[in-house]
Amino acid sequence: MAEHAALVLASASPQRRAILERVGAMFVVRPANIEEIGQGEPAVVARENALGKARAARLNQEETVLGVDTLVAIDGRIYGKPADRDAARETLKALGGATHTVFSGVAVLVEEEERVAVAATEVSFRELSDERVEWYLAKEEWRGRAGAYAIQGAGAVLVREIHGDYENVVGLPLATLLDLYPALL
């Protein structure tokens, strides 16, 4: 990657930045401001939003741009970032005692190529009492989080088990990204 300009991360997510920093990737942050799709088949929605973000952040074809969109779905219903505390409560109650899927669309624009994939991780939540939901809401981690929780924070106590890529649940499926863009490292 020394011969190339840094990767452009089309996201303001501190979790995505932290994952890239942890593996030593060279990147710059340029958040993309697009109107995200909120309804539809979850994997398709995540894919299209990621591609839209990457395209919106790209200034020229010499840039390599990474767009990512993460969402939570259960029974085909998408749970994005809750608008407020009441929406976060509703989301957590829907996820409690059930298994949901975290989908992340990953789009890497490299020269004329658009490399796109979707990662999916199954997450099973414990039964959540009203008291546990209120305890978690008070932590304020739900803000800006798909599915209203952060597995890498206090939200870990909500989770019984996961099947798949942990980093996907955090917000950037590193294995999928490396499949699409091995030059990252």
Side-chain angles (χ1 to χ4, degrees):
M1 185 131 165
E3 297 176 11
H4 303 289
L7 177 71
V8 175
L9 174 60
S11 173
S13 164
Q15 294 76 27
R16 292 183 182 127
R17 287 195 313 263
I19 291 168
L20 290 172
E21 287 168 355
R22 197 170 61 239
V23 298
M26 301 295 293
F27 67 99
V28 296
V29 175
R30 187 184 308 141
N33 188 14
I34 67 164
E35 186 158 336
E36 295 183 20
I37 302 165
Q39 299 296 318
E41 198 283 309
V44 173
V45 170
R47 179 189 190 284
E48 292 305 308
N49 284 338
L51 193 52
K53 291 174 185 181
R55 288 173 177 161
R58 194 176 207 196
L59 300 179
N60 60 62
Q61 282 202 331
E62 286 74 46
E63 288 186 323
T64 298
V65 181
L66 169 61
V68 183
D69 186 62
T70 301
L71 56 86
V72 167
I74 188 167
D75 297 329
R77 180 172 175 191
I78 294 174
Y79 292 91
K81 298 172 186 169
D84 56 29
R85 190 181 186 101
D86 289 338
R89 181 180 295 108
E90 177 188 327
T91 298
L92 292 171
K93 286 185 174 197
L95 301 180
T99 298
H100 61 271
T101 305
V102 177
F103 292 97
S104 288
V106 180
V108 183
L109 308 184
V110 183
E111 297 172 355
E112 295 86 31
E113 271 188 271
E114 293 184 340
R115 305 173 186 175
V116 189
V118 177
T121 303
E122 300 294 317
V123 180
S124 297
F125 264 25
R126 300 174 176 283
E127 291 289 339
L128 300 179
S129 65
D130 290 344
E131 293 79 12
R132 178 67 66 201
V133 169
E134 294 307 316
W135 170 86
Y136 187 68
L137 291 172
K139 300 286 184 194
E140 299 287 324
E141 281 185 350
W142 59 269
R143 294 185 185 276
R145 313 278 183 168
Y149 74 98
I151 195 171
Q152 72 277 16
V157 304
L158 308 176
V159 176
R160 176 160 304 285
E161 64 184 5
I162 72 169
H163 295 278
D165 185 347
Y166 172 83
E167 299 291 3
N168 181 38
V169 184
V170 176
L172 177 61
L174 194 55
T176 301
L177 173 56
L178 288 170
D179 289 345
L180 294 176
Y181 188 59
L184 177 70
L185 305 178

